[in-house]
Amino acid sequence: MSKVEQYITSIPDYPKAGIIFRDITSVLKDADGLRLAVDEMTAKIGDTEFDAIVGLESRGFLFGMPMAYNLHKAFIPIRKSGKLPRATSRIAYDLEYGSAEIEVHREDITPGLRVVIVDDLIATGGTLEAAVHLVEQLGAKVVKIVCLLELKGLHGRDRLTSCPTEAVVSYEGK
């Protein structure tokens, strides 16, 4: 068991009966929990060689920024569509009930750039899969995905087979 797991609050029957919501705000509000989360996520990168951390809005920013700072690497945000001021590349993807778009500044992702994608959660894998495609369409290489949590029952990892994927804490259910 990861030490950071003790800081995660599990809330039964939220947002509906039968679901256990894994709340990470309890990790963020505790200095020791936050340090553990960032350190354990950084350790999951291991000896992977890379140039930048790409963080997904918004919780990927919370963990990716301190990881990039500690490793003296660049941080590149992937945002929801319409949030970035310069020329962007975007990708649309399907959600369980609808669709969404994410984008990145086109000049931030260059051919040959090796990146680690960081987010808080592997659930169905749709957003992470879209981020991988977006980065790779611009010529970069995703060398690893690192997340704090994984909900194994949603099988999101099955969509992320193109690169090594790591989670600090994995839960069997949904």
Side-chain angles (χ1 to χ4, degrees):
M1 178 173 99
S2 161
K3 290 181 183 180
V4 78
E5 190 170 359
Q6 67 189 336
Y7 294 94
I8 298 167
T9 302
S10 296
I11 303 167
D13 298 322
Y14 182 83
K16 63 181 186 177
I19 302 291
I20 300 174
F21 185 82
R22 308 300 180 170
D23 183 15
I24 65 161
T25 61
S26 50
V27 174
L28 302 173
K29 75 171 186 139
D30 187 286
D32 292 332
L34 179 58
R35 181 181 296 269
L36 275 171
V38 171
D39 289 349
E40 289 188 31
M41 290 176 76
T42 303
K44 292 290 184 185
I45 295 173
D47 60 359
T48 303
E49 291 186 28
F50 70 102
D51 306 304
I53 288 180
V54 170
L56 302 182
E57 184 172 354
S58 66
R59 292 176 301 252
F61 296 1
L62 298 174
F63 299 107
M65 279 291 298
M67 292 167 68
Y69 176 84
N70 287 339
L71 295 170
H72 194 73
K73 297 289 185 176
F75 179 82
I76 300 168
I78 288 184
R79 304 235 23 217
K80 295 172 184 157
S81 187
K83 303 281 186 177
L84 294 172
R86 298 190 317 265
T88 63
S89 288
R90 66 180 48 135
I91 191 168
Y93 62 101
D94 291 327
L95 299 169
E96 189 175 352
Y97 301 106
S99 62
E101 276 188 341
I102 53 176
E103 64 185 9
V104 66
H105 279 132
R106 197 173 299 140
E107 66 192 43
D108 290 351
I109 304 291
T110 56
L113 189 73
R114 296 165 302 166
V115 304
V116 172
I117 294 179
V118 172
D119 204 4
D120 68 321
L121 176 66
I122 304 169
T124 64
T127 305
L128 285 164
E129 180 184 43
V132 169
H133 289 310
L134 178 60
V135 166
E136 290 183 346
Q137 284 174 2
L138 293 169
K141 172 74 174 151
V142 178
V143 295
K144 190 167 268 192
I145 295 171
V146 176
C147 295
L148 181 62
L149 304 178
E150 177 179 12
L151 303 177
K152 287 184 170 184
L154 295 175
H155 306 286
R157 190 181 288 261
D158 296 346
R159 297 173 79 167
L160 307 172
T161 58
S162 66
C163 62
T165 301
E166 301 280 348
V168 173
V169 179
S170 293
Y171 294 101
E172 291 301 322
K174 299 177 181 180

